[in-house]
Amino acid sequence: ATMQSAGSHDFTVGGTTPTISDPSDTTPVTTPVTTPSATATANTLTLRVSEDAYDGDALFTVKVDGTQVGGTYTATVAHSSGNAGTVTLTGDWGAAEHDVQLTFLNDAYGGTPTTDRNLYVNSIAYDGVTYNGTSATMQSAGSHDFTVGGTTPAISAPSGTTPTATTTTDTLTLRVSEDAYDGDALFTVKVDGTQVGGTYTATVAHSSGNAGTVTLTGDWGAAEHDVQLTFLNDAYGGTPTTDRNLYVNSIAYDGVTYSGTSATMQSAGSHDFMVGGTTPAISAPSDLLTRQLSSTAN
C-alpha cells in the first residue's frame, strides 16, 4: 500500500489468505544470522601542546573532519620549558587525508608579555607519523586547522630509519552516571597523578539504571594504578530532586572490571580507585555478566 495521507490501513496474513508465493512450495526460508564483530579502534591522533599559563591554563577542543572528539582539553606544560604535554585521541578515521581543528577557548591578556595566556601546538602525529605544518602559536581565542594522513607531507625520518607507529597498550573504561540538576556533572580523570584528557561530562541519568562510558587509552603497564576522578561542579537546590551528583558505576582496566570501583560523589572533590596489578577484580565472567544484567534490569 502507498499511504499518502494520515490514517490506517489493514492487511490480512495467514489462514486462507492468498499468498504471493507458490502454495505448493513448502521449503522453509532460512534467514542468515550474522554475528556482530568487535569494532576496532584503528587510528591514533597524538597532539603535543604547551602554553603560557597566565591566570589559568589554556583550554581547547579538537575536531576531526568537523566532528568534535572528546570534551575540553587542558594544556599543562609551560612553553618556556621547551617541552610539551601529550593528548592522545583514538577513532576509526582511516588512511585518507584528515582535517584536525584545534579551538583555543580562553585567551587572556594582562597587558604585558608575561601576563598573556597562549596555546602552542608543537606537533601532531597520526598513526605514529608526525606531519609537516602541524605547529602553530595561538595568541588569541579561535580555531586553527591542520592536515594529517593521506598524501600530506610527513616530517621525514632520520637517515636509515622508518617512522614507526606508537602503540597504545592499555585501556581504561569508566562507566558513569549523574543526577543532572541545572546542568550535567563535569569531572576530570588522573592516572597515577597525571591528568588524562580534559573535562568530561556525565550524560546518562542514574535513575535510568544505566551508565555512560568514557574510554581512555595510554601506556600505563600491568602494575597497580591509582585512578582519581574529580567531581567539579556540585550543585544543590535544597531538595533531593534539585541535587547534582556524580556516580561512578564501575572502572575496567584492559577489559577487567575491578572491585571497589564504584562511588557516589555528592559533593565536589576527588575519589581514588585502584586498578591493575594485584587489585581484586570482579572474579568470574559469570559474576560480571550477572552484575551487568542486574544493572540493566534495574
Side-chain angles (χ1 to χ4, degrees):
T2 299
M3 304 180 72
Q4 294 180 311
S5 60
S8 303
H9 195 102
D10 293 86
F11 305 88
T12 304
V13 297
T16 59
T17 309
T19 60
I20 292 175
S21 58
D22 181 359
S24 64
D25 183 6
T26 59
T27 305
V29 177
T30 302
T31 302
V33 177
T34 58
T35 302
S37 57
T39 300
T41 299
N43 307 109
T44 301
L45 186 70
T46 305
L47 315 172
R48 297 184 67 251
V49 296
S50 54
E51 65 167 345
D52 298 326
Y54 164 65
D55 197 27
D57 289 317
L59 305 178
F60 63 98
T61 58
V62 182
K63 289 183 178 180
V64 176
D65 298 330
T67 300
Q68 186 164 324
V69 182
T72 300
Y73 299 95
T74 306
T76 58
V77 177
H79 185 67
S80 59
S81 72
N83 298 316
T86 300
V87 175
T88 301
L89 309 176
T90 55
D92 296 311
W93 297 302
E97 191 173 87
H98 299 285
D99 176 76
V100 179
Q101 182 185 85
L102 269 71
T103 300
F104 179 25
L105 300 175
N106 64 332
D107 179 48
Y109 182 62
T112 71
T114 59
T115 57
D116 189 10
R117 184 189 302 136
N118 300 307
L119 176 66
Y120 300 86
V121 184
N122 294 53
S123 65
I124 301 178
Y126 185 67
D127 287 343
V129 177
T130 301
Y131 286 87
N132 285 325
T134 58
S135 62
T137 299
M138 304 180 72
Q139 294 181 310
S140 60
S143 299
H144 195 106
D145 291 81
F146 309 87
T147 303
V148 299
T151 59
T152 308
I155 294 176
S156 58
S159 178
T161 67
T162 302
T164 57
T166 301
T167 302
T168 300
T169 57
D170 303 298
T171 302
L172 186 70
T173 305
L174 316 171
R175 297 183 68 249
V176 296
S177 54
E178 65 166 344
D179 299 326
Y181 164 64
D182 196 28
D184 290 318
L186 304 178
F187 63 98
T188 59
V189 182
K190 290 183 178 181
V191 176
D192 297 331
T194 299
Q195 184 166 326
V196 182
T199 299
Y200 299 94
T201 305
T203 58
V204 177
H206 185 67
S207 59
S208 72
N210 297 315
T213 300
V214 175
T215 301
L216 309 176
T217 56
D219 297 312
W220 297 301
E224 189 172 70
H225 300 285
D226 175 76
V227 178
Q228 182 185 85
L229 269 71
T230 300
F231 179 24
L232 300 175
N233 63 333
D234 180 47
Y236 183 60
T239 71
T241 58
T242 57
D243 189 11
R244 183 189 303 137
N245 300 307
L246 175 67
Y247 300 85
V248 183
N249 294 52
S250 65
I251 301 177
Y253 184 67
D254 289 343
V256 178
T257 301
Y258 287 86
S259 295
T261 57
S262 62
T264 299
M265 303 181 72
Q266 295 180 308
S267 58
S270 300
H271 195 105
D272 292 81
F273 308 88
M274 302 306 297
V275 299
T278 58
T279 308
I282 293 178
S283 55
S286 60
D287 182 24
L288 178 57
L289 179 61
T290 299
R291 290 172 184 244
Q292 291 172 335
L293 290 175
S294 174
S295 175
T296 302
N298 289 336

